[in-house]
Amino acid sequence: MNVIVMGCGRLGSRIATMLDTEGHRVTVLDINEAAFKRIPATFRGERVVGNAMDASTLERGGITEADAFFAVTQGDNRNYFASQMAREVYHVKRVLCRVYDPVREEIFRDLGLETFSPTSFGAQIMVEMLHKEPVRK
């Protein structure tokens, strides 16, 4: 599978590394070249410096051949905008978008994006932890 990951923070670098290890063709986009230090030396994919909300950056990253696009920067609006471009302009089959704000997550999902909210998911896990007996040594 040909995958583009927008954002090379902790999550983006981890996703890119996992997919690369699985044998996928991976391109990581980030506005800051220093972010690529999170990618291990064994990474076989591409690194593209630029703003992924810009069509020329997406095209340099291979968006026209992409099977999947992950938008995992720190900004909900950036992730949404780039995800919509990937889906509507470039017709990428799978577009996955991280959204911190649970209200925006609902809106973005209603607009047809596959979303993930670490805020919602984290809250759910922590409440479940509270209801369980703690593991003590």
Side-chain angles (χ1 to χ4, degrees):
M1 187 179 302
N2 186 359
V3 181
I4 295 176
V5 178
M6 175 185 139
C8 194
R10 288 183 297 264
L11 180 61
S13 62
R14 183 71 161 226
I15 289 168
T17 300
M18 290 171 69
L19 291 171
D20 180 62
T21 300
E22 290 177 2
H24 298 284
R25 183 173 166 221
V26 181
T27 300
V28 182
L29 309 174
D30 202 284
I31 201 162
N32 181 1
E33 188 170 9
F36 297 127
K37 71 180 187 251
R38 292 184 176 97
I39 301 279
T42 56
F43 182 72
R44 296 165 299 188
E46 299 291 322
R47 298 163 180 87
V48 175
V49 177
N51 185 343
M53 292 191 309
D54 180 57
S56 65
T57 299
L58 289 172
E59 290 170 10
R60 278 190 295 122
I63 192 80
T64 58
E65 294 88 31
D67 299 303
F69 181 84
F70 286 84
V72 292
T73 72
Q74 295 293 319
D76 288 356
N77 291 333
R78 285 191 307 263
N79 291 345
Y80 170 73
F81 184 83
S83 293
Q84 283 293 74
M85 283 183 64
R87 194 174 73 118
E88 299 297 328
V89 176
Y90 295 101
H91 308 289
V92 177
K93 294 174 198 148
R94 298 289 305 276
V95 176
L96 297 95
C97 181
R98 173 172 66 183
V99 184
Y100 284 107
D101 182 344
V103 174
R104 284 185 182 161
E105 180 195 20
E106 262 184 65
I107 294 167
F108 295 174
R109 191 179 317 114
D110 289 346
L111 293 170
L113 294 176
E114 291 183 69
T115 60
F116 170 76
S117 172
T119 305
S120 297
F121 192 63
Q124 178 182 345
I125 289 172
M126 293 193 79
V127 168
E128 288 172 7
M129 287 171 63
L130 176 67
H131 294 300
K132 292 180 182 176
E133 225 16 73
V135 177
R136 298 183 195 238
K137 293 184 178 191

